[in-house]
Amino acid sequence: MPTETEIKLRASPATLNALREHPLLKKRNKSGWQSHALFNQYYDTPARDLAAAKVALRVRRDGEQFIQTLKSRGQSVAGLSERHEWDWYLHSPALDISLLDDSCWPASLADLDKSTLQPIFSTDFLRDKADLAWGRGKARVAIEAALDQGQVCTGTQQEAICELELELREGEPAALLELAIELAADLPLMPCDISKAERGYRLF
């Protein structure tokens, strides 16, 4: 079962700019910074059954690609979160409920009528990401760093997104915390346990 392990840190626009040039990231940056405009449409039922079950369902547009993602209930402490995640590539931005089968769909929602799923809110942001890699003792660490700036939108309401995400690709989760602590020693970064999806629901 695929698991997403990441730490999310809130920042200011000035801090995001400073992170691009931070020595710790520059030293470990193996790919350079790459920009992606991401639009994400989140879905739920009128009764908000997915939110109640701590499940997030979205379709993301990344350039010419459409990716449907389901994230299940997880745990989050001091900005570090672990939860299960499934991704599917689509041919269009339309939600494909046929992909939401027993291999990923929570048992607590087994009786849900998936045809009632509808758009609830969206997130629209620019992501600058880089692949970081280094040795930690004898172990290799690989982390994707993402600088996200944009907004959560629902109806006429909006809330700003401005954050650093560090997602573990290889290695121990402790490496995420160590890197975050080192960065926070130089720059104003605040651990955040609230996902973009949770912020969207609160705004809604």
Side-chain angles (χ1 to χ4, degrees):
M1 184 182 297
T3 301
E4 175 192 62
T5 302
E6 67 178 18
I7 190 164
K8 189 187 304 292
L9 301 161
R10 286 201 180 187
S12 67
T15 297
L16 290 191
N17 287 332
L19 283 165
R20 292 181 178 86
E21 301 300 323
H22 194 284
L24 277 177
L25 299 187
K26 289 186 75 171
K27 179 181 178 181
R28 296 164 173 168
N29 192 336
K30 305 302 179 182
S31 64
W33 291 102
Q34 301 174 356
S35 294
H36 299 258
L38 303 177
F39 177 81
N40 306 275
Q41 181 67 65
Y42 285 81
Y43 293 82
D44 205 335
T45 66
R48 312 292 177 262
D49 294 287
L50 270 62
K54 304 297 185 185
V55 173
L57 176 63
R58 75 177 184 221
V59 174
R60 165 173 288 177
R61 185 182 73 230
D62 181 355
E64 298 300 317
Q65 291 186 325
F66 299 99
I67 307 165
Q68 180 171 310
T69 298
L70 177 71
K71 296 188 180 186
S72 69
R73 180 192 299 269
Q75 57 183 357
S76 182
V77 179
L80 178 66
S81 66
E82 290 186 322
R83 54 185 175 176
H84 301 306
E85 176 181 300
W86 293 264
D87 292 316
W88 302 271
Y89 286 90
L90 306 177
H91 297 295
S92 76
L95 183 71
D96 186 349
I97 61 174
S98 69
L99 298 170
L100 306 174
D101 58 22
D102 292 342
S103 67
C104 63
W105 195 247
S108 62
L109 297 174
D111 296 329
L112 183 72
D113 181 359
K114 299 185 184 73
S115 68
T116 62
L117 292 167
Q118 61 185 33
I120 300 295
F121 62 87
S122 64
T123 61
D124 190 3
F125 57 93
L126 183 66
R127 167 168 287 179
D128 288 348
K129 68 179 183 178
D131 295 324
L132 312 179
W134 71 95
R136 184 172 177 264
K138 294 183 178 180
R140 181 177 183 273
V141 175
I143 291 173
E144 180 184 279
L147 309 176
D148 293 344
Q149 191 167 1
Q151 53 196 2
V152 182
C153 305
T154 175
T156 59
Q157 299 200 75
Q158 298 179 351
E159 182 178 311
I161 295 170
C162 196
E163 59 194 26
L164 164 68
E165 284 189 4
L166 299 171
E167 183 173 350
L168 188 68
R169 297 300 192 186
E170 182 180 344
E172 293 296 320
L176 282 178
L177 287 172
E178 290 169 1
L179 178 57
I181 289 170
E182 289 187 72
L183 292 171
D186 295 334
L187 296 168
L189 296 165
M190 179 66 67
C192 180
D193 290 325
I194 304 173
S195 69
K196 294 181 181 70
E198 289 174 288
R199 291 171 66 185
Y201 276 111
R202 291 185 182 190
L203 188 63
F204 186 86

